[in-house]
Amino acid sequence: MKLLHIDSSVLGPHSVSRQVSAAIVDRLRQATPSIDVVYRDLTQTPLAHLSGSHLAAAQGAPAPAELGPDLAASAAVLNEFLAADVVVIGAPMYNFTIPSQLKAWIDRILVAGKTFQYGANGPQGLAGAKRVIVAISRGGYYGADMPTAAGEHLETYLRWVFGFIGITDPEFISADGIQVGPDHREKALAGALQAATSLQAA
C-alpha cells in the first residue's frame, strides 16, 4: 500500500494542520507497518503557479527549455498522486480558502485523461479508487448554521475538487476556532488529534 502525505501550511512546527496530518499518517502506519509513505512539503518545495506556457505545453505546443523543470515537477506530483492508495493532506484555511501552495498542487493533479475525462454525459472522475483524508484547521467557526458559513471555501472546495475526479467521500478531520483564543486552540487540537488516533485504518 502506498500513502502520499501532503502538507501546505507555512507555519512549520507551529501548524495545527501539520500536527493533525502527521497523527493521521502515524495512525495508518501503526495499522499497516508495511505502508510506503511519500512525503511532500509544498512550502519547502513549492510548485510554480500555472502559466500560459505551461498550459500551451499541456496542449502539445513546443515547450521552451526554461519550462523543463516545471514540467518535470508536474509529472512527478501527478505520478505520486496516481500511485497512491491513500492521500493525507494538511490543509489550513488562509483567507477563507486553501493556501496558494495547495492550489498549485491541485492544478497539477487535475489533468484531463489522467484524473478525469469528458464524455457524452459530462465529466467523469478517474481517481475514485483512492482514499483521501484531509486535516483542516480554521481560525474561526464555519458551521452550516452559522452566519460565517458562506465564507467557508476550504472544505467545500476540496470536497468539490476530489468529487470531480471521482473521490466522492473524502474524510475530514477538523480543528476549528484555533485563533479564537488559547483555550479554543488547545481544545480544537486535542479533539482533532483524538479523531486522528481513532481513525478507521481501512
Side-chain angles (χ1 to χ4, degrees):
M1 181 179 290
K2 295 181 180 295
L3 185 152
L4 175 61
H5 180 190
I6 300 289
D7 271 326
S8 60
S9 170
V10 300
L11 297 179
H14 304 290
S15 164
V16 168
S17 67
R18 284 177 181 268
Q19 293 179 64
V20 179
S21 75
I24 293 169
V25 174
D26 286 345
R27 164 63 179 149
L28 298 178
R29 270 184 163 145
Q30 290 169 11
T32 309
S34 62
I35 198 168
D36 181 14
V37 177
V38 172
Y39 180 65
R40 181 172 286 271
D41 187 331
L42 297 175
T43 64
Q44 294 296 317
T45 310
L47 297 162
H49 293 289
L50 291 181
S51 66
S53 297
H54 183 277
L55 293 178
Q59 297 297 320
E66 61 270 19
L67 199 62
D70 184 65
L71 295 177
S74 286
V77 297
L78 178 59
N79 289 335
E80 286 173 355
F81 180 75
L82 293 174
D85 302 295
V86 181
V87 181
V88 176
I89 302 172
M93 177 185 274
Y94 290 167
N95 295 322
F96 311 110
T97 189
I98 62 173
S100 62
Q101 293 87 348
L102 183 56
K103 178 59 166 63
W105 178 80
I106 288 172
D107 286 340
R108 307 309 177 99
I109 67 164
L110 265 64
V111 179
K114 297 292 186 179
T115 55
F116 72 93
Q117 63 186 9
Y118 287 104
N121 297 317
Q124 175 187 359
L126 303 176
K130 300 182 187 301
R131 181 184 186 187
V132 171
I133 309 167
V134 187
I136 63 177
S137 59
R138 294 177 284 218
Y141 296 97
Y142 295 86
D145 58 342
M146 303 192 71
T148 51
E152 207 293 325
H153 305 292
L154 171 66
E155 181 177 345
T156 50
Y157 172 75
L158 292 174
R159 283 190 184 277
W160 177 264
V161 163
F162 287 113
F164 182 79
I165 60 175
I167 301 165
T168 56
D169 193 25
E171 302 165 56
F172 289 85
I173 294 178
S174 304
D176 291 324
I178 62 172
Q179 294 296 330
V180 174
D183 292 343
H184 291 266
R185 177 188 176 93
E186 183 177 341
K187 182 179 179 180
L189 177 56
L193 292 174
Q194 178 59 44
T197 303
S198 306
L199 192 69
Q200 184 176 348

